[in-house]
Amino acid sequence: MKVVVTGASTYGVDNMGDDAMLSCLIRGIRQADGDASITFLARHPCVDFDRTFGVTSVQNLDHRSNDAAKGRFFMGFNKDDSRDNLKNIHEALSNADLLVIGGNSLMEISDNTFLRGVSSYATTLATFSIFLGKPYALFGLNIVGHIRNPFVIQQAKFLVEKSAVSTVREIHAFNYLSEVGVDTSSVRITGDPAYGVDLKRVEDYDGWELLRGIGVCLEPTLRTITICVREEYWKTSDVTTMNLEKEVCTLLDHILQNSINQVLFIPNCYYQHGHPLEDDRQVNRGIRARFGDHKRVHYVESTLNLYQTLSIFKLTHVHISNRRHSNIFAAIFGKPFIPINTSLKSHISSFVEDLGQSNFLVSSSSFSRKVAENLDFILINYDEVSQRLSSIVSNHIDNGLTSVNLITDLFRE
């Protein structure tokens, strides 16, 4: 089996949640065919990334940074562009049995226009695939709100209706497609592929040893509360960033009142070629500057890969985050989490409901008080909360490869 994998603004951009879904995809392909050849269309081809995931990278249609992309079509389609990336993509698809397009291909947090934006990226690759007579599949599609743009609605119909199969994470994504008239006969609701991350790879790392190696010295006798927050960089302002930092600082004051608590900030994204706030460490630095240094508050500053990041989640007691996959990482290891909603409400609420944790969901920009209350409740009832979560999440982990199996089954028929 020869597979070309690409992601619409996802995979290979130092986002651990996206890379967890990629890990699931590759794991499933390898289980179906141990000799499978996987070519990855990457924004930033990288030898280390290829080695980590067992792929061969080829430059995709993206420019290397947001600044380089301003006012331009996809790379290879501008007057002064080299066409080398298009030639390499053509060669990879010509030799492939299947194209898999992953990620949020219908995201509308930024404009989608002709040869610009995530939906146009996915549509362009799907068009290439059709020209070459190759099937394509949509993998782990998530839609975080009603599809409003008529242009994106057209692309949604094209992408979904021409796909061999489309897997979506939750029922709301299916409903968002249906309500704009998309024929959903090829769509399957399979859950989030991140649950199917290759956990055996995590065993290569010891979280305590890893942290010491990057200069983070947690005290093993203390209880570790981990935090991951991001500012919504596509709609940020000085006021919203300041409010986020203040809320986290208020929360830190509460956590540290108990002398057995220590805090570790775990980034979920380290990307440095887009908006500065795509890198979670930027938010953490703002919090640190506002709160000041404290011997029981620690920050991961080094760039870690997916499996290194997951190894740290084994050390947490309770996790707090407004990032979908950061919370899911905690859940995978049976660690209670407190999710904080964002403007992309179904992005958070949908998986929280599936895990039976809606009572812990905090839906306010002034979240510190409610998060603190939830934390106190969890710590008092820790065993009960943890056991209930573990019993529910185990089914999601067991079903983690479902979305990949639907794709690889195309070659067994």
Side-chain angles (χ1 to χ4, degrees), residues 158-196:
F158 175 85
L159 278 170
V160 174
E161 293 176 3
K162 302 295 186 295
S163 68
V165 64
S166 296
T167 69
V168 299
R169 301 184 207 173
E170 286 108 12
I171 184 65
H172 73 271
F174 183 95
N175 291 338
Y176 287 146
L177 291 170
S178 297
E179 72 181 20
V180 293
V182 175
D183 180 349
T184 54
S185 57
S186 69
V187 178
R188 301 293 181 269
I189 304 166
T190 59
D192 196 314
Y195 291 110

Side-chain angles (χ1 to χ4, degrees), residues 287-306:
I287 294 167
R288 186 173 190 173
R290 187 177 295 276
F291 190 75
D293 287 327
H294 190 289
K295 66 180 182 180
R296 286 188 282 127
V297 181
H298 308 269
Y299 303 83
V300 171
E301 275 290 337
S302 300
T303 300
L304 305 179
N305 68 33
L306 168 65

Side-chain angles (χ1 to χ4, degrees), residues 22-293:
L22 177 63
S23 172
C24 173
L25 176 60
I26 292 171
R27 177 182 164 219
I29 291 172
R30 297 288 184 211
Q31 285 189 9
D33 180 358
D35 297 321
S37 171
I38 303 173
T39 300
F40 173 53
L41 305 186
R43 187 177 193 181
H44 306 285
C46 173
V47 173
D48 287 342
F49 186 89
D50 288 3
R51 187 180 300 114
T52 297
F53 289 95
V55 299
T56 300
S57 290
V58 170
Q59 180 65 49
N60 68 8
L61 300 174
D62 288 320
H63 293 272
R64 301 301 181 90
S65 68
N66 287 9
D67 288 340
K70 285 181 180 177
R72 298 175 68 80
F73 298 120
F74 293 132
M75 191 165 66
F77 291 98
N78 301 283
K79 183 178 179 180
D80 56 345
D81 284 352
S82 164
R83 305 286 190 262
D84 287 347
N85 66 320
L86 300 183
K87 293 176 183 176
N88 292 333
I89 291 170
H90 177 271
E91 181 180 359
L93 284 174
S94 295
N95 294 322
D97 299 304
L98 174 72
L99 169 68
V100 179
I101 304 172
N104 298 337
S105 301
L106 300 173
M107 183 77 78
E108 291 187 85
I109 63 174
S110 59
D111 290 339
N112 289 283
T113 58
F114 178 69
L115 293 181
R116 293 192 183 102
V118 293
S119 63
S120 289
Y121 177 91
T123 303
T124 300
L125 267 299
T127 302
F128 286 178
S129 181
I130 291 170
F131 262 114
L132 294 169
K134 308 293 182 177
Y136 71 88
L138 302 183
F139 172 71
L141 180 64
N142 192 32
I143 305 172
V144 298
H146 302 282
I147 306 174
R148 308 288 190 188
N149 186 332
F151 182 68
V152 179
I153 292 173
Q154 287 183 327
Q155 291 179 318
K157 290 181 177 180
F158 175 85
L159 278 170
V160 174
E161 293 176 3
K162 302 295 186 295
S163 68
V165 64
S166 296
T167 69
V168 299
R169 301 184 207 173
E170 286 108 12
I171 184 65
H172 73 271
F174 183 95
N175 291 338
Y176 287 146
L177 291 170
S178 297
E179 72 181 20
V180 293
V182 175
D183 180 349
T184 54
S185 57
S186 69
V187 178
R188 301 293 181 269
I189 304 166
T190 59
D192 196 314
Y195 291 110
V197 63
D198 190 351
L199 292 176
K200 288 185 178 178
R201 297 289 306 279
V202 182
E203 296 172 5
D204 294 339
Y205 302 96
D206 178 275
W208 295 109
E209 183 179 324
L210 174 67
L211 288 174
R212 286 193 295 270
I214 60 174
V216 177
C217 298
L218 294 180
E219 173 52 59
T221 62
L222 298 183
R223 184 168 56 199
T224 303
I225 311 298
T226 52
I227 297 176
C228 175
V229 290
R230 76 162 171 189
E231 171 68 333
E232 296 184 294
Y233 60 87
W234 58 92
K235 54 178 289 186
T236 188
S237 69
D238 290 343
V239 172
T240 58
T241 302
M242 179 180 65
N243 180 70
L244 177 65
E245 292 173 357
K246 286 183 174 180
E247 288 297 310
V248 175
C249 288
T250 301
L251 181 59
L252 288 175
D253 282 333
H254 177 83
I255 295 171
L256 296 171
Q257 286 177 8
N258 191 324
S259 61
I260 70 168
N261 290 338
Q262 61 186 340
V263 176
L264 175 65
F265 284 83
I266 308 176
N268 191 74
C269 187
Y270 304 89
Y271 193 59
Q272 299 179 63
H273 301 282
H275 192 289
L277 290 176
E278 287 187 66
D279 184 344
D280 291 343
R281 293 171 297 186
Q282 283 293 101
V283 174
N284 295 345
R285 289 163 190 154
I287 294 167
R288 186 173 190 173
R290 187 177 295 276
F291 190 75
D293 287 327

